[in-house]
Short mmCIF file of all heavy atoms in Angstrom, two decimals:
data_model
loop_
_atom_site.label_atom_id
_atom_site.label_comp_id
_atom_site.label_asym_id
_atom_site.label_seq_id
_atom_site.Cartn_x
_atom_site.Cartn_y
_atom_site.Cartn_z
N GLY A 15 -33.24 72.30 -78.39
CA GLY A 15 -34.25 71.59 -77.66
C GLY A 15 -33.73 70.57 -76.63
O GLY A 15 -34.47 70.09 -75.81
N GLY A 16 -32.42 70.35 -76.63
CA GLY A 16 -31.84 69.43 -75.61
C GLY A 16 -31.61 70.14 -74.29
O GLY A 16 -31.89 71.30 -74.12
N LYS A 17 -31.03 69.40 -73.41
CA LYS A 17 -30.71 69.94 -72.04
C LYS A 17 -29.25 69.60 -71.71
O LYS A 17 -28.75 68.57 -72.13
CB LYS A 17 -31.63 69.33 -70.97
CG LYS A 17 -33.07 69.80 -71.10
CD LYS A 17 -33.88 69.16 -69.99
CE LYS A 17 -35.36 69.62 -70.04
NZ LYS A 17 -36.14 68.98 -68.92
N ALA A 18 -28.66 70.52 -70.94
CA ALA A 18 -27.34 70.27 -70.39
C ALA A 18 -27.44 70.46 -68.89
O ALA A 18 -28.07 71.35 -68.40
CB ALA A 18 -26.29 71.23 -70.95
N LYS A 19 -26.79 69.52 -68.13
CA LYS A 19 -26.89 69.56 -66.65
C LYS A 19 -25.53 69.63 -66.05
O LYS A 19 -24.53 69.12 -66.60
CB LYS A 19 -27.67 68.34 -66.19
CG LYS A 19 -29.10 68.24 -66.65
CD LYS A 19 -29.80 67.03 -66.07
CE LYS A 19 -31.25 66.96 -66.53
NZ LYS A 19 -31.96 65.77 -65.95
N GLY A 20 -25.45 70.21 -64.90
CA GLY A 20 -24.20 70.27 -64.15
C GLY A 20 -24.53 70.52 -62.65
O GLY A 20 -25.56 71.08 -62.32
N ASP A 21 -23.66 70.07 -61.76
CA ASP A 21 -23.84 70.32 -60.35
C ASP A 21 -22.52 70.45 -59.63
O ASP A 21 -21.50 69.90 -60.13
CB ASP A 21 -24.73 69.26 -59.71
CG ASP A 21 -24.06 67.88 -59.80
OD1 ASP A 21 -23.27 67.52 -58.94
OD2 ASP A 21 -24.39 67.09 -60.77
N TYR A 22 -22.51 71.09 -58.53
CA TYR A 22 -21.33 71.24 -57.68
C TYR A 22 -21.73 71.69 -56.28
O TYR A 22 -22.85 72.13 -56.05
CB TYR A 22 -20.30 72.20 -58.28
CG TYR A 22 -20.76 73.62 -58.35
CD1 TYR A 22 -20.35 74.51 -57.43
CD2 TYR A 22 -21.66 74.06 -59.35
CE1 TYR A 22 -20.74 75.83 -57.44
CE2 TYR A 22 -22.04 75.38 -59.42
CZ TYR A 22 -21.58 76.29 -58.44
OH TYR A 22 -22.03 77.56 -58.45
N GLN A 23 -20.77 71.54 -55.33
CA GLN A 23 -20.99 71.97 -53.98
C GLN A 23 -19.86 72.92 -53.59
O GLN A 23 -18.73 72.72 -54.04
CB GLN A 23 -21.00 70.81 -52.96
CG GLN A 23 -22.20 69.83 -53.13
CD GLN A 23 -22.02 68.86 -54.27
OE1 GLN A 23 -20.88 68.35 -54.53
NE2 GLN A 23 -23.06 68.65 -55.07
N ASN A 24 -20.21 73.91 -52.81
CA ASN A 24 -19.15 74.80 -52.28
C ASN A 24 -19.58 75.34 -50.93
O ASN A 24 -20.72 75.22 -50.48
CB ASN A 24 -18.81 75.96 -53.26
CG ASN A 24 -20.04 76.78 -53.61
OD1 ASN A 24 -21.15 76.43 -53.36
ND2 ASN A 24 -19.77 77.92 -54.30
N LEU A 25 -18.62 75.97 -50.21
CA LEU A 25 -18.82 76.47 -48.87
C LEU A 25 -18.72 77.98 -48.84
O LEU A 25 -18.03 78.58 -49.69
CB LEU A 25 -17.76 75.87 -47.95
CG LEU A 25 -17.76 74.35 -47.73
CD1 LEU A 25 -16.57 73.94 -46.86
CD2 LEU A 25 -19.04 73.84 -47.18
N GLY A 26 -19.37 78.53 -47.89
CA GLY A 26 -19.30 79.97 -47.70
C GLY A 26 -19.37 80.33 -46.21
O GLY A 26 -19.90 79.58 -45.42
N VAL A 27 -18.63 81.36 -45.85
CA VAL A 27 -18.69 81.85 -44.46
C VAL A 27 -18.91 83.32 -44.42
O VAL A 27 -18.46 84.09 -45.30
CB VAL A 27 -17.30 81.49 -43.78
CG1 VAL A 27 -16.14 82.22 -44.42
CG2 VAL A 27 -17.37 81.83 -42.30
N GLY A 28 -19.80 83.75 -43.51
CA GLY A 28 -20.14 85.15 -43.42
C GLY A 28 -20.41 85.57 -42.03
O GLY A 28 -20.65 84.74 -41.13
N THR A 29 -20.41 86.89 -41.84
CA THR A 29 -20.67 87.40 -40.46
C THR A 29 -21.47 88.71 -40.62
O THR A 29 -21.44 89.35 -41.68
CB THR A 29 -19.40 87.73 -39.74
OG1 THR A 29 -19.70 88.14 -38.39
CG2 THR A 29 -18.57 88.80 -40.45
N SER A 30 -22.25 88.98 -39.64
CA SER A 30 -23.09 90.16 -39.56
C SER A 30 -22.99 90.82 -38.22
O SER A 30 -23.07 90.16 -37.18
CB SER A 30 -24.58 89.81 -39.89
OG SER A 30 -25.39 90.95 -39.58
N LEU A 31 -22.79 92.12 -38.18
CA LEU A 31 -22.70 92.91 -37.00
C LEU A 31 -23.76 94.02 -37.04
O LEU A 31 -23.73 94.83 -38.03
CB LEU A 31 -21.28 93.52 -36.75
CG LEU A 31 -20.16 92.53 -36.81
CD1 LEU A 31 -18.83 93.25 -36.75
CD2 LEU A 31 -20.22 91.54 -35.70
N GLU A 32 -24.63 94.09 -36.04
CA GLU A 32 -25.65 95.08 -35.99
C GLU A 32 -25.64 95.85 -34.69
O GLU A 32 -25.52 95.24 -33.60
CB GLU A 32 -27.02 94.47 -36.24
CG GLU A 32 -28.17 95.42 -36.22
CD GLU A 32 -29.49 94.68 -36.39
OE1 GLU A 32 -29.53 93.57 -36.85
OE2 GLU A 32 -30.52 95.36 -36.07
N PHE A 33 -25.76 97.19 -34.74
CA PHE A 33 -25.77 97.97 -33.55
C PHE A 33 -26.90 98.98 -33.67
O PHE A 33 -27.13 99.61 -34.76
CB PHE A 33 -24.49 98.72 -33.40
CG PHE A 33 -24.36 99.57 -32.16
CD1 PHE A 33 -24.13 98.97 -30.90
CD2 PHE A 33 -24.49 100.94 -32.18
CE1 PHE A 33 -24.04 99.76 -29.77
CE2 PHE A 33 -24.45 101.70 -31.05
CZ PHE A 33 -24.20 101.13 -29.84
N GLY A 34 -27.68 99.19 -32.62
CA GLY A 34 -28.74 100.14 -32.63
C GLY A 34 -29.16 100.55 -31.24
O GLY A 34 -28.56 100.20 -30.22
N ARG A 35 -30.31 101.29 -31.22
CA ARG A 35 -30.89 101.78 -29.89
C ARG A 35 -32.35 101.83 -30.01
O ARG A 35 -32.92 102.31 -30.95
CB ARG A 35 -30.28 103.17 -29.59
CG ARG A 35 -30.72 103.63 -28.21
CD ARG A 35 -30.19 104.99 -27.92
NE ARG A 35 -30.52 105.39 -26.54
CZ ARG A 35 -30.34 106.66 -26.08
NH1 ARG A 35 -29.84 107.63 -26.85
NH2 ARG A 35 -30.67 106.91 -24.82
N HIS A 36 -32.99 101.31 -28.95
CA HIS A 36 -34.41 101.35 -28.80
C HIS A 36 -34.79 102.53 -27.94
O HIS A 36 -34.41 102.57 -26.73
CB HIS A 36 -34.95 100.04 -28.15
CG HIS A 36 -36.39 99.97 -27.99
ND1 HIS A 36 -37.22 99.52 -29.00
CD2 HIS A 36 -37.21 100.31 -26.96
CE1 HIS A 36 -38.48 99.52 -28.58
NE2 HIS A 36 -38.52 100.08 -27.38
N ILE A 37 -35.43 103.55 -28.53
CA ILE A 37 -35.74 104.77 -27.80
C ILE A 37 -37.22 104.78 -27.57
O ILE A 37 -38.01 104.85 -28.52
CB ILE A 37 -35.27 105.98 -28.59
CG1 ILE A 37 -33.77 105.96 -28.88
CG2 ILE A 37 -35.62 107.31 -27.82
CD1 ILE A 37 -33.30 107.01 -29.83
N ALA A 38 -37.64 104.67 -26.33
CA ALA A 38 -39.08 104.69 -25.99
C ALA A 38 -39.59 106.11 -25.79
O ALA A 38 -38.96 106.97 -25.20
CB ALA A 38 -39.25 103.91 -24.69
N TRP A 39 -40.76 106.36 -26.36
CA TRP A 39 -41.44 107.61 -26.22
C TRP A 39 -42.70 107.43 -25.41
O TRP A 39 -42.98 106.33 -24.88
CB TRP A 39 -41.84 108.18 -27.56
CG TRP A 39 -40.67 108.67 -28.41
CD1 TRP A 39 -39.45 108.99 -27.96
CD2 TRP A 39 -40.63 108.85 -29.80
NE1 TRP A 39 -38.66 109.36 -28.96
CE2 TRP A 39 -39.31 109.30 -30.15
CE3 TRP A 39 -41.58 108.69 -30.86
CZ2 TRP A 39 -38.92 109.61 -31.44
CZ3 TRP A 39 -41.20 109.01 -32.15
CH2 TRP A 39 -39.90 109.46 -32.47
N SER A 40 -43.47 108.47 -25.26
CA SER A 40 -44.68 108.35 -24.43
C SER A 40 -45.79 107.60 -25.18
O SER A 40 -45.74 107.44 -26.39
CB SER A 40 -45.22 109.77 -24.12
OG SER A 40 -45.49 110.50 -25.29
N ASN A 41 -46.69 107.04 -24.43
CA ASN A 41 -47.84 106.30 -24.95
C ASN A 41 -47.49 105.07 -25.72
O ASN A 41 -48.15 104.61 -26.65
CB ASN A 41 -48.75 107.25 -25.81
CG ASN A 41 -49.33 108.40 -25.04
OD1 ASN A 41 -49.74 108.21 -23.85
ND2 ASN A 41 -49.34 109.55 -25.70
N GLY A 42 -46.31 104.51 -25.40
CA GLY A 42 -45.90 103.25 -26.03
C GLY A 42 -45.20 103.43 -27.37
O GLY A 42 -44.72 102.43 -27.93
N TYR A 43 -45.08 104.63 -27.89
CA TYR A 43 -44.39 104.83 -29.14
C TYR A 43 -42.87 104.63 -28.98
O TYR A 43 -42.29 104.89 -27.92
CB TYR A 43 -44.64 106.19 -29.74
CG TYR A 43 -46.04 106.42 -30.23
CD1 TYR A 43 -47.02 107.02 -29.41
CD2 TYR A 43 -46.43 105.94 -31.47
CE1 TYR A 43 -48.30 107.27 -29.88
CE2 TYR A 43 -47.76 106.12 -31.94
CZ TYR A 43 -48.66 106.78 -31.15
OH TYR A 43 -49.98 106.91 -31.60
N PHE A 44 -42.24 104.20 -30.06
CA PHE A 44 -40.77 104.06 -29.97
C PHE A 44 -40.16 104.22 -31.35
O PHE A 44 -40.84 104.10 -32.39
CB PHE A 44 -40.41 102.64 -29.44
CG PHE A 44 -40.70 101.51 -30.38
CD1 PHE A 44 -39.79 101.07 -31.32
CD2 PHE A 44 -41.97 100.88 -30.29
CE1 PHE A 44 -40.09 100.01 -32.18
CE2 PHE A 44 -42.30 99.82 -31.20
CZ PHE A 44 -41.33 99.38 -32.12
N VAL A 45 -38.87 104.53 -31.35
CA VAL A 45 -38.10 104.60 -32.60
C VAL A 45 -36.76 103.83 -32.32
O VAL A 45 -36.25 103.82 -31.19
CB VAL A 45 -37.74 106.04 -32.99
CG1 VAL A 45 -36.92 106.76 -31.94
CG2 VAL A 45 -37.04 106.13 -34.34
N GLU A 46 -36.32 103.16 -33.34
CA GLU A 46 -35.18 102.24 -33.22
C GLU A 46 -34.19 102.39 -34.35
O GLU A 46 -34.23 101.59 -35.33
CB GLU A 46 -35.71 100.80 -33.10
CG GLU A 46 -34.74 99.80 -32.56
CD GLU A 46 -35.47 98.44 -32.40
OE1 GLU A 46 -36.10 98.24 -31.37
OE2 GLU A 46 -35.45 97.66 -33.36
N PRO A 47 -33.29 103.37 -34.35
CA PRO A 47 -32.27 103.49 -35.39
C PRO A 47 -31.28 102.40 -35.24
O PRO A 47 -30.95 101.93 -34.14
CB PRO A 47 -31.69 104.88 -35.14
CG PRO A 47 -31.92 105.12 -33.71
CD PRO A 47 -33.19 104.47 -33.34
N TYR A 48 -30.75 101.92 -36.39
CA TYR A 48 -29.73 100.85 -36.37
C TYR A 48 -28.83 100.94 -37.57
O TYR A 48 -29.11 101.51 -38.57
CB TYR A 48 -30.44 99.50 -36.27
CG TYR A 48 -31.16 99.09 -37.57
CD1 TYR A 48 -30.50 98.26 -38.49
CD2 TYR A 48 -32.46 99.47 -37.83
CE1 TYR A 48 -31.18 97.87 -39.65
CE2 TYR A 48 -33.11 99.12 -38.96
CZ TYR A 48 -32.44 98.34 -39.89
OH TYR A 48 -33.06 97.98 -41.07
N ALA A 49 -27.69 100.31 -37.43
CA ALA A 49 -26.71 100.14 -38.50
C ALA A 49 -26.22 98.70 -38.50
O ALA A 49 -26.11 98.07 -37.46
CB ALA A 49 -25.60 101.11 -38.36
N GLN A 50 -26.00 98.22 -39.68
CA GLN A 50 -25.53 96.82 -39.84
C GLN A 50 -24.46 96.74 -40.92
O GLN A 50 -24.54 97.38 -42.00
CB GLN A 50 -26.73 95.95 -40.26
CG GLN A 50 -26.38 94.44 -40.29
CD GLN A 50 -27.53 93.62 -40.86
OE1 GLN A 50 -27.89 93.75 -42.02
NE2 GLN A 50 -28.12 92.80 -40.05
N VAL A 51 -23.42 95.95 -40.67
CA VAL A 51 -22.42 95.67 -41.68
C VAL A 51 -22.33 94.13 -41.77
O VAL A 51 -22.34 93.42 -40.73
CB VAL A 51 -21.08 96.33 -41.39
CG1 VAL A 51 -20.51 95.85 -40.07
CG2 VAL A 51 -20.12 96.08 -42.50
N ALA A 52 -22.28 93.59 -42.97
CA ALA A 52 -22.22 92.13 -43.14
C ALA A 52 -21.30 91.81 -44.27
O ALA A 52 -21.23 92.60 -45.30
CB ALA A 52 -23.60 91.61 -43.43
N GLY A 53 -20.59 90.72 -44.25
CA GLY A 53 -19.69 90.29 -45.27
C GLY A 53 -19.77 88.82 -45.47
O GLY A 53 -20.08 87.99 -44.52
N LEU A 54 -19.46 88.34 -46.66
CA LEU A 54 -19.58 86.93 -47.03
C LEU A 54 -18.50 86.61 -48.09
O LEU A 54 -18.19 87.38 -48.98
CB LEU A 54 -20.99 86.67 -47.69
CG LEU A 54 -21.18 85.30 -48.27
CD1 LEU A 54 -21.22 84.21 -47.26
CD2 LEU A 54 -22.49 85.33 -49.13
N VAL A 55 -17.91 85.41 -47.87
CA VAL A 55 -16.94 84.88 -48.87
C VAL A 55 -17.39 83.45 -49.21
O VAL A 55 -17.62 82.59 -48.26
CB VAL A 55 -15.51 84.88 -48.33
CG1 VAL A 55 -14.55 84.23 -49.35
CG2 VAL A 55 -15.04 86.29 -48.01
N VAL A 56 -17.59 83.15 -50.47
CA VAL A 56 -17.99 81.84 -50.93
C VAL A 56 -16.85 81.33 -51.86
O VAL A 56 -16.39 82.02 -52.76
CB VAL A 56 -19.31 81.90 -51.73
CG1 VAL A 56 -19.71 80.52 -52.16
CG2 VAL A 56 -20.41 82.54 -50.90
N GLU A 57 -16.47 80.08 -51.59
CA GLU A 57 -15.32 79.50 -52.32
C GLU A 57 -15.71 79.29 -53.82
O GLU A 57 -16.86 79.01 -54.15
CB GLU A 57 -14.88 78.21 -51.73
CG GLU A 57 -15.84 77.04 -51.88
CD GLU A 57 -15.26 75.73 -51.50
OE1 GLU A 57 -14.04 75.53 -51.57
OE2 GLU A 57 -16.02 74.84 -51.06
N GLY A 58 -14.70 79.48 -54.68
CA GLY A 58 -14.87 79.19 -56.12
C GLY A 58 -14.82 77.66 -56.31
O GLY A 58 -14.19 76.93 -55.57
N LYS A 59 -15.42 77.30 -57.48
CA LYS A 59 -15.40 75.83 -57.76
C LYS A 59 -15.40 75.66 -59.28
O LYS A 59 -16.09 76.41 -60.03
CB LYS A 59 -16.68 75.19 -57.17
CG LYS A 59 -16.54 73.75 -56.76
CD LYS A 59 -15.49 73.58 -55.68
CE LYS A 59 -15.41 72.16 -55.17
NZ LYS A 59 -16.52 71.74 -54.36
#
């Protein structure tokens, strides 16, 4: 029934790269295929 508490702070750095193409069709329709790669590292504590 008791409680235990703890806290800490840490840093993280990440990046995201996205590449795609907007392809317009007739009457305003469009398709937009894309690919994305992303990575993140967060320090241990």
Side-chain angles (χ1 to χ4, degrees):
K17 292 182 179 180
K19 298 181 180 181
D21 61 84
Y22 66 100
Q23 294 79 40
N24 57 349
L25 299 176
V27 62
T29 185
S30 168
L31 305 175
E32 182 182 340
F33 182 77
R35 186 183 184 188
H36 182 88
I37 304 171
W39 290 340
S40 60
N41 297 320
Y43 289 99
F44 69 90
V45 62
E46 196 173 275
Y48 70 95
Q50 183 188 67
V51 61
L54 171 69
V55 178
V56 181
E57 70 171 329
K59 213 59 177 289

